[in-house]
């Protein structure tokens, strides 16, 4: 027989467990029996009306301290208003109030724990539970208040035609808007959407509402935008009824108008921003190349993909290229508050390490031929040609030993541009011109120097040109390219240079955030750092099938890296542009072709260094290179057959190594050696097609 002391201990343990609430339908019945509205209950519990709705529909569960307070209230109501045995409570939808305030959450008083008095009544859900894609482990209930107010419902939501807005972590909000201005008002005042700033001197991310085709039509928008222009240049005409609605409601559109990505705003009132970003799926806001398969997913799955991207990278603000560029500024804001010693007032001051608020014109050799600094000065001195590799070895340089190998194996470096951005010192100020300066590898800039005397093995591409063909005379190079010539043991004597006095590792936080996002997302797909090389290759072979949603996030992260670097030198767009005119991108402080050149130069040098070390360690030379993909002849159909390993089995440092982090390699594809030689004889690049299906690699812009 158990003693009284043991029994009381067991009862105390049960009482200490998390309070249990009645079923969702019973919660609604008790509130209605007491004559209390959802809005009044929300005010008493210091939360939002939408959160109370979620509790009563079974979408979410309250957390402490609200959990104990809510249970105490329900227990009191249950004693006053017991349910009839045959009664089944069905929650009735409450009208959404026009506005709400969500004050800071005070400490709720500790509730007395008592058994639930109300009879168990089966819940009748308002709508089916959201289906979550391919989640491992037990199903996870929706988590309310995932962040502090005012962004407790996450950074974004996907709106369907029935007025349901699907957010991150499975949250579903009821959106009553029937016009675009009403949608903007609801988003800013009631949705609880948005994201906190990424840097203490930065700005919060504006909420993003993604519209399905049905939602777009419901709001008066066309299901698709039609026209002969490029997708990104399509816009609603200014006389469209929705554009007029926005203007009548005293909202504004940015200069890019109402297109696939539309920003609707009013001037900020004090510190409060008033801006909402819209993305319209049926207008191709999410292009297939950067977001594979996402546009065809269900709203809840679209929200999951974009939500993970927003939490790990940034709330999308346009294409992945635009988001990549915006991330740079969000992590390195141009200004910071500073107290004026004379007046004692706080003023906006330059934030050290950033690019500032004013655009800086490049040096003539760093610009593009149509740039005003080139056209207006009559510059004829040549340009930087720091681009990614596009090189094929001459078939005359193939040996008999190479030709009899059965396979050609392609290796692809993970986010090579991102790896190159790590600890990369770039110029922050305007360029200064120098005649015959002494070369300094620590000073970022552009150097006019003759590297034609550097003699390298012809079975390797030249590290100084994207074509791999050795230079024939003086040319402009970025600092890393010239430093590599010096590293190879050659004397360099610059004739001219455009150098920058203020320097810094501007891209460091950008690199760190994207690297973490890339590695974490690969880990979600089963590709982790602890895998050995054989297990890594196996995991990479099937990683896209593990979870299509996370595979889409991974593709978007990679596109963000390359697109963000490409945006640093965005060219003019549109048929009406005339050479010598300034185009809109030049007004950005982030229009910095010299920084783009620095990233690509370092990436190309890194690739050449690895190929050189591979030749020393294995005697193998590449057949072709395209950007971050290199093709080698191989005795087997796997990189394990030719990569260098020590006697211990560990990869040799200096060459290509397999792994999931930026700068390490993965298998790109395998074909026969005869196939590769055939392409080479036709002047085609095997690296472009090694993946099969006539694949074409993204070359950076």
């Amino acid at each position: 027989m158990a003693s009284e002391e043991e029994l009381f201990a067991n009862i105390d343990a049960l009482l200490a467990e998390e309070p249990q609430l009645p079923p969702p339908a019973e919660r609604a019945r008790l509130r209605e029996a007491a004559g209390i509205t959802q809005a009044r209950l929300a005010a008493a519990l210091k939360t939002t009306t939408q959160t109370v709705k979620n509790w009563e529909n079974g979408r979410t569960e309250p957390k402490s301290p609200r959990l104990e307070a809510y249970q105490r209230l329900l227990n009191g109501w249950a004693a006053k208003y017991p349910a009839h045995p045959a009664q089944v409570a069905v929650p009735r939808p409450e009208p959404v109030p026009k506005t709400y305030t969500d004050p800071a959450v005070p400490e709720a008083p500790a509730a007395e724990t008592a058994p639930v008095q109300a009879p168990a009544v089966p819940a009748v859900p308002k709508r089916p539970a959201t289906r979550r894609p391919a989640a491992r482990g037990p199903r996870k209930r929706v988590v309310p208040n995932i962040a502090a107010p005012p962004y407790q419902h996450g950074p974004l939501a996907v709106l369907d035609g029935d007025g349901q807005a699907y957010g991150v972590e499975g949250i579903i909000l009821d959106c009553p808007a029937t016009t675009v201005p009403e949608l903007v008002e609801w988003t800013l005042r009631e949705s609880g959407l948005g994201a906190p700033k990424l840097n203490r001197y930065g700005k919060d991310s504006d909420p993003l509402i993604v519209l399905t085709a049905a939602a777009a039509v419901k709001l008066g928008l066309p299901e698709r935008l039609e026209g002969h222009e490029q997708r990104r240049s399509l816009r609603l005409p200014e006389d469209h009824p929705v554009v007029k609605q926005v203007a009548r409601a005293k909202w504004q559109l940015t200069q890019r108008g109402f297109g696939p990505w539309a920003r609707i705003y009013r001037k900020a009132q004090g510190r409060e921003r008033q801006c909402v970003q819209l993305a319209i799926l049926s207008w191709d806001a999410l292009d297939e190349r950067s977001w594979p398969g996402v546009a065809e997913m269900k709203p809840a799955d679209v929200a999951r993909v974009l939500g993970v991207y927003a939490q790990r990278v940034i709330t999308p603000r346009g294409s992945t290229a635009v988001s990549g560029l915006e991330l740079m500024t969000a992590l390195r804001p141009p200004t910071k508050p500073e107290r004026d010693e004379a007046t004692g007032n706080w003023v906006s001051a330059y934030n050290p390490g950033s690019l500032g608020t004013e655009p800086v014109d490049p040096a003539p050799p760093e610009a593009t031929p149509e740039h005003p600094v080139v056209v207006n000065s009559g510059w004829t001195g040549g340009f930087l040609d720091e681009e990614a590799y596009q090189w094929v070895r001459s078939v005359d340089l193939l040996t008999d030993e190479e030709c009899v190998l059965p396979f050609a194996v392609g290796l692809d470096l993970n986010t090579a541009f991102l790896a190159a951005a790590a600890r990369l010192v770039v110029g922050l100020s305007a360029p200064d011109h120098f005649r015959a300066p002494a070369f300094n590898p620590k000073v970022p800039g552009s150097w006019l120097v003759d590297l034609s005397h550097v003699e390298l093995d012809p079975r390797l591409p030249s590290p100084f040109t994207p074509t791999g063909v050795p230079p024939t005379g003086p040319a402009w190079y970025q600092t890393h390219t010239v430093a590599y010539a010096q590293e190879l043991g050659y004397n360099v004597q610059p004739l001219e240079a455009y150098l920058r006095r203020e320097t810094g590792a501007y891209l460091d936080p950008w690199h760190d955030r994207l690297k973490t996002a890339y590695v974490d997302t690969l880990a979600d797909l089963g590709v982790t750092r602890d895998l050995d090389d054989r297990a890594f290759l196996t995991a990479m072979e099937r990683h896209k099938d593990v979870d299509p949603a996370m595979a889409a996030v991974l593709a978007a992260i990679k596109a963000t890296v390359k697109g963000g670097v490409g945006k640093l030198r965005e060219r003019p767009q549109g048929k009406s542009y005339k050479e010598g005119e300034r185009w809109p991108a030049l007004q950005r402080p982030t229009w910095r072709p010299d920084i783009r050149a620095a990233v690509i130069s370092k990436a190309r040098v890194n690739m050449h260094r690895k190929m050189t070390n591979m030749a020393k360690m294995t005697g193998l030379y590449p057949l072709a290179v395209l950007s971050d993909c290199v093709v080698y002849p191989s005795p087997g159909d796997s990189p394990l057959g030719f990569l260098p390993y020590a006697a211990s089995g560990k990869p040799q440092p200096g060459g290509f190594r397999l792994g999931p982090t930026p700068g390490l390699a993965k298998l790109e594809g395998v074909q026969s050696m005869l196939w590769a030689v055939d392409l080479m004889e036709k002047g085609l690049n095997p690296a472009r097609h090694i993946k099969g299906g006539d694949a074409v690699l993204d070359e950076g812009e």
Side-chain angles (χ1 to χ4, degrees), residues 536-555:
F536 167 75
L537 291 174
T538 301
M540 284 300 297
E541 188 176 352
R542 59 174 182 242
H543 78 283
K544 291 183 180 179
D545 300 323
V546 171
D547 186 341
M550 295 307 295
V553 174
L554 185 70

Side-chain angles (χ1 to χ4, degrees), residues 154-172:
L156 55 88
V158 181
L159 183 64
D160 68 11
D162 296 324
Q164 298 178 75
Y166 295 81
V168 300
E169 300 291 346
I171 286 175
I172 306 175

Side-chain angles (χ1 to χ4, degrees), residues 517-650:
Y518 180 82
V519 171
D520 288 352
T521 307
L522 262 182
D524 288 339
L525 293 167
V527 186
T528 56
R529 298 189 189 194
D530 58 344
L531 299 176
D532 62 32
D533 285 0
R534 193 173 299 278
F536 167 75
L537 291 174
T538 301
M540 284 300 297
E541 188 176 352
R542 59 174 182 242
H543 78 283
K544 291 183 180 179
D545 300 323
V546 171
D547 186 341
M550 295 307 295
V553 174
L554 185 70
I557 292 170
K558 293 191 287 186
T560 300
V561 173
K562 288 191 174 181
V565 172
K567 274 282 185 180
L568 292 168
R569 196 192 67 169
E570 184 177 356
R571 306 293 285 267
Q573 301 166 12
K575 298 178 182 178
S576 61
Y577 174 76
K578 295 181 181 178
E579 190 176 77
E581 293 178 347
R582 297 190 73 85
W583 58 95
L586 300 188
Q587 301 308 116
R588 299 192 314 250
T590 49
W591 197 86
R592 290 295 301 270
D594 56 300
I595 296 180
R596 173 187 177 274
V599 172
I600 297 176
S601 166
K602 186 178 175 183
R604 198 182 64 244
V605 164
N606 286 347
M607 176 71 87
H608 192 276
R609 187 182 290 112
K610 291 177 186 296
M611 291 187 291
T612 300
N613 290 335
M614 280 285 291
K616 293 176 180 177
M617 290 186 284
T618 67
L620 289 176
Y621 291 84
L623 302 175
V625 186
L626 180 67
S627 187
D628 45 14
C629 177
V630 57
V631 178
Y632 274 97
S634 172
D637 60 355
S638 166
L640 301 176
F642 65 88
L643 289 178
Y645 291 89
S648 63
K650 293 185 178 181

Side-chain angles (χ1 to χ4, degrees), residues 490-506:
Y490 291 86
N491 184 37
V492 292
Q493 296 179 320
L495 305 174
E496 292 182 60
Y498 285 91
L499 309 176
R500 288 168 169 80
R501 300 180 187 276
E502 294 180 30
T503 65
Y506 172 71

Side-chain angles (χ1 to χ4, degrees), residues 35-219:
I36 303 298
T37 66
Q38 290 175 326
R40 186 175 173 188
L41 176 56
L45 292 174
K46 303 297 184 184
T47 187
T48 67
T49 304
Q50 182 63 54
T51 299
V52 173
K53 286 184 180 183
N54 289 343
W55 295 346
E56 294 185 357
N57 287 330
R59 299 183 195 142
T60 65
E61 295 294 326
K63 301 294 183 184
S64 295
R66 291 187 181 87
L67 173 61
E68 292 79 8
Y70 188 36
Q71 188 211 36
R72 185 174 187 178
L73 177 64
L74 293 175
N75 287 343
W77 282 343
K80 288 184 179 182
Y81 312 109
H84 188 277
Q87 184 178 3
V88 176
V90 180
R92 299 174 186 170
E94 288 278 332
V96 178
K98 293 294 183 184
T99 60
Y100 82 94
T101 56
D102 195 356
V105 180
E107 288 293 327
E112 298 176 5
T113 305
V116 178
Q117 300 290 328
V121 180
V124 180
K126 184 175 180 181
R127 59 177 65 90
T130 303
R131 292 195 302 172
R132 301 178 66 87
R136 292 182 292 275
R139 280 177 63 88
K140 184 178 180 182
R141 294 296 296 173
V142 175
V143 180
N145 300 328
I146 60 172
Y151 307 135
Q152 66 270 33
H153 292 143
L156 55 88
V158 181
L159 183 64
D160 68 11
D162 296 324
Q164 298 178 75
Y166 295 81
V168 300
E169 300 291 346
I171 286 175
I172 306 175
L173 307 175
D174 290 321
C175 175
T178 58
T179 67
V180 169
E182 288 178 0
L183 175 62
V184 173
E185 296 278 358
W186 174 83
T187 303
L188 292 175
R189 289 168 174 76
E190 298 183 41
S191 70
L193 297 174
K197 55 196 174 187
L198 299 179
N199 181 287
R200 61 176 177 160
Y201 300 135
K203 299 175 182 177
D204 292 357
S205 286
D206 299 319
L208 168 64
I209 300 293
V210 181
L211 303 180
T212 63
V217 171
K218 179 181 177 181
L219 295 171

Side-chain angles (χ1 to χ4, degrees), residues 301-526:
D301 296 331
V302 176
R304 180 182 175 223
V305 171
L306 297 181
V308 172
Y309 180 89
Q311 291 165 342
R312 294 182 179 179
V313 182
I314 192 172
T315 303
R317 301 185 184 185
S319 67
T320 48
V322 169
S323 297
L325 198 67
E326 291 282 350
L327 181 63
M328 296 179 193
T329 304
L331 294 168
R332 290 276 199 192
T335 61
K336 67 173 185 174
E338 192 172 273
R339 187 180 293 278
D340 187 330
E341 297 298 334
T343 64
N345 297 328
W346 287 95
V347 296
S348 180
Y350 170 70
N351 183 24
S354 75
L355 297 181
T357 59
E358 297 299 321
V360 174
D361 275 342
E366 297 166 347
T368 56
E370 66 271 20
H371 195 285
V373 301
V374 174
V375 175
N376 296 338
S377 66
W379 174 262
T380 57
F383 299 94
L384 280 176
D385 191 20
E386 299 288 13
E387 302 294 340
Y389 268 131
Q390 294 192 56
W391 172 82
V392 180
R393 199 203 315 177
S394 170
V395 290
D396 296 335
L397 295 176
L398 292 175
T399 65
D400 292 340
E401 291 80 3
E402 289 175 321
C403 290
V404 298
L405 290 174
F407 296 102
V409 175
L411 291 176
D412 179 67
L413 296 186
N414 301 320
T415 56
F417 288 175
L418 185 61
R423 315 301 172 251
L424 176 66
V425 176
V426 300
L428 302 177
S429 56
D432 292 319
H433 185 232
F434 297 87
R435 294 280 183 183
F439 177 67
N440 186 338
K442 296 183 178 180
V443 177
S446 303
W447 309 78
L448 180 63
V449 61
D450 189 350
L451 299 178
S452 60
H453 63 288
V454 178
E455 295 183 3
L456 298 172
D457 194 308
R459 291 173 292 180
L460 291 173
S462 168
F464 310 128
T465 66
T467 62
V469 177
T472 57
W476 288 96
Y477 301 99
Q478 201 276 335
T479 297
H480 281 88
T481 305
V482 184
Y484 188 56
Q486 198 174 62
E487 178 185 323
L488 294 173
Y490 291 86
N491 184 37
V492 292
Q493 296 179 320
L495 305 174
E496 292 182 60
Y498 285 91
L499 309 176
R500 288 168 169 80
R501 300 180 187 276
E502 294 180 30
T503 65
Y506 172 71
L507 293 174
D508 263 11
W510 185 80
H511 162 271
D512 294 348
R513 185 167 177 85
L514 285 169
K515 176 183 177 181
T516 300
Y518 180 82
V519 171
D520 288 352
T521 307
L522 262 182
D524 288 339
L525 293 167

